């Protein structure tokens, strides 16, 4: 950058501009430079809580919905935290067998039934799952819950972290059972509406379940 006092951070197609001083010329330069970044869709500049500049690129619009992919995992984790704080979920140490007794009762010997809520949230379930190999089987399963409960234990050391969409998918029925609502409505009431987010779309998998 020509101006060493200016720093630009670009992540996930959203850019935040951090300036010690705001002046029109450098700001215009940065907004113009954004057009050269193929993955960039928006730059929003705020100072003291006030939006001072914004620019959209490509097919982006301020009112357009964008795919957020696995960012939903963070959203669902926040909703789990809310349910815990509200007493709707009993605790992080409770096992799937306790949180989903009807489902786990169909596979009582399943390694997945003994997994705790804490292990799901921290990615340390110990269930064997490979994103590149198993994602299609998970999304195409007629019953994703039974698919997860059918996973064997991983040969990795106990407590090892792994990226496990299948294990995370258990959070949807856990939350829905605890709150008595479908996941999109839980999110709307507990998170989106308080944040002023009025429009969103959350799809479902083959079984009709909203994926976490």
């Amino acid at each position: 950058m020509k101006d060493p006092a200016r720093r630009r951070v670009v992540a996930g197609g959203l850019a935040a501009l951090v300036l010690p001083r705001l002046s029109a010329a450098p700001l215009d330069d940065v907004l113009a430079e954004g057009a050269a970044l193929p993955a960039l869709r928006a730059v929003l500049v705020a100072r003291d809580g006030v939006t001072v500049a914004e620019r959209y690129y490509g097919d982006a619009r301020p009112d357009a919905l964008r795919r957020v992919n696995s960012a939903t995992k963070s959203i669902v984790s926040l909703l789990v935290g809310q349910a815990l704080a509200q007493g709707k979920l009993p605790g992080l140490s409770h096992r799937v067998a306790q949180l989903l007794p009807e489902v786990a009762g169909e596979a009582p010997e399943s390694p997945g039934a003994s997994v705790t809520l804490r292990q799901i949230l921290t990615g340390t379930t110990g269930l064997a799952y490979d994103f590149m190999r198993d994602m299609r089987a998970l999304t195409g399963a007629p019953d994703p819950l039974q698919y997860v409960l059918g996973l064997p234990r991983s040969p990795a050391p106990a407590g090892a972290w792994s990226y496990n969409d299948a294990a995370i998918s258990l959070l949807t029925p856990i939350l829905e059972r605890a709150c008595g609502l479908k996941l999109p409505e839980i999110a709307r009431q507990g998170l989106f509406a308080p944040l002023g987010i009025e429009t969103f779309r959350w799809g479902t998998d083959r079984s009709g379940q909203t994926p976490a």
Side-chain angles (χ1 to χ4, degrees):
M1 303 288 299
K2 297 178 180 179
D3 183 354
R6 187 173 62 202
R7 292 179 292 143
R8 185 178 58 205
V9 180
V10 179
L14 178 66
L17 182 69
V18 183
L19 293 172
R21 299 180 306 277
L22 285 178
S23 57
L27 191 54
D28 288 343
D29 288 347
V30 169
L31 294 174
E33 289 172 12
L37 299 173
L40 186 63
R41 289 295 175 266
V43 174
L44 176 67
V45 185
R47 186 178 190 185
D48 298 328
V50 177
T51 300
V52 296
E54 58 184 307
R55 182 76 58 85
Y56 298 90
Y57 307 93
D59 61 350
R61 303 188 314 274
D63 59 347
L65 296 175
R66 309 292 302 184
R67 291 182 63 88
V68 297
N69 298 324
S70 285
T72 55
K73 293 178 174 62
S74 297
I75 293 171
V76 173
S77 296
L78 286 170
L79 298 176
V80 169
Q82 288 183 335
L84 287 165
Q86 295 163 357
K88 294 177 180 178
L89 285 172
L92 291 171
S93 297
H94 277 64
R95 295 175 288 109
V96 170
Q98 298 168 293
L99 300 169
L100 296 172
E102 300 87 358
V103 175
E106 299 178 16
E109 303 303 317
S110 163
S114 63
V115 166
T116 68
L117 183 57
R118 176 181 284 106
Q119 289 173 319
I120 295 174
L121 291 169
T122 57
T124 57
T125 62
L127 299 178
Y129 176 84
D130 182 276
F131 169 76
M132 299 298 294
R133 182 191 65 213
D134 301 329
M135 183 63 178
R136 181 171 295 180
L138 172 65
T139 57
D143 188 338
L145 296 182
Q146 291 305 318
Y147 175 87
V148 179
L149 292 177
L151 293 176
R153 295 192 185 279
S154 169
W161 181 88
S162 66
Y163 188 87
N164 195 322
D165 294 287
I168 288 290
S169 71
L170 292 171
L171 294 178
T172 293
I174 287 173
L175 275 171
E176 292 182 344
R177 186 178 189 276
C179 300
L181 298 168
K182 290 297 186 180
L183 183 58
E185 183 60 18
I186 299 171
R188 189 191 69 78
Q189 293 185 16
L191 190 61
F192 296 157
L195 291 174
I197 299 173
E198 299 177 351
T199 305
F200 69 95
R201 185 169 62 245
W202 207 329
T204 58
D205 59 24
R206 180 182 174 186
S207 71
Q209 176 176 291
T210 303

